[in-house]
Amino acid sequence: MADITMYELPGCPYCAKVRSKLDELELEYDVIEVPRSHGERTEVENVSGQTGVPVIVDEAQGVEGMHESDDIVDYLEETYGESGA
């Protein structure tokens, strides 16, 4: 099991942006697909306090429930990119 878990909805362009950054940095990650209905997204809500996606959890860095694709991409670059590695 990877340290990073990503909650996503297939076809979501913001999720694709985060997944692209994870792949670019060659990071291992697990994916949990959330239901289309916001009312059924209890797992991601428990993790992040909201029902939007994408959301990541990075157990190795103590990050629990980071949301907003731009923030996630910036975090990944700073933490795992050449400047952060």
Side-chain angles (χ1 to χ4, degrees):
M1 187 165 163
D3 287 332
I4 298 174
T5 302
M6 177 179 169
Y7 293 83
E8 73 165 15
L9 182 66
C12 163
Y14 303 106
C15 299
K17 178 179 179 178
V18 172
R19 193 183 266 257
S20 177
K21 179 54 73 173
L22 287 161
D23 292 341
E24 175 188 319
L25 295 171
E26 299 180 356
L27 297 172
E28 287 187 31
Y29 60 98
D30 296 318
V31 173
I32 297 175
E33 290 185 9
V34 300
R36 286 217 168 269
S37 168
H38 282 264
E40 296 176 15
R41 295 182 184 179
T42 53
E43 185 175 357
V44 74
E45 186 173 18
N46 290 339
V47 168
S48 67
Q50 49 90 51
T51 58
V53 288
V55 167
I56 66 161
V57 174
D58 185 351
E59 292 180 20
Q61 303 295 327
V63 172
E64 297 181 14
M66 180 181 287
H67 55 90
E68 296 298 331
S69 59
D70 288 338
D71 293 344
I72 296 170
V73 168
D74 290 346
Y75 161 77
L76 293 170
E77 188 62 46
E78 289 170 12
T79 306
Y80 297 104
E82 288 185 24
S83 61

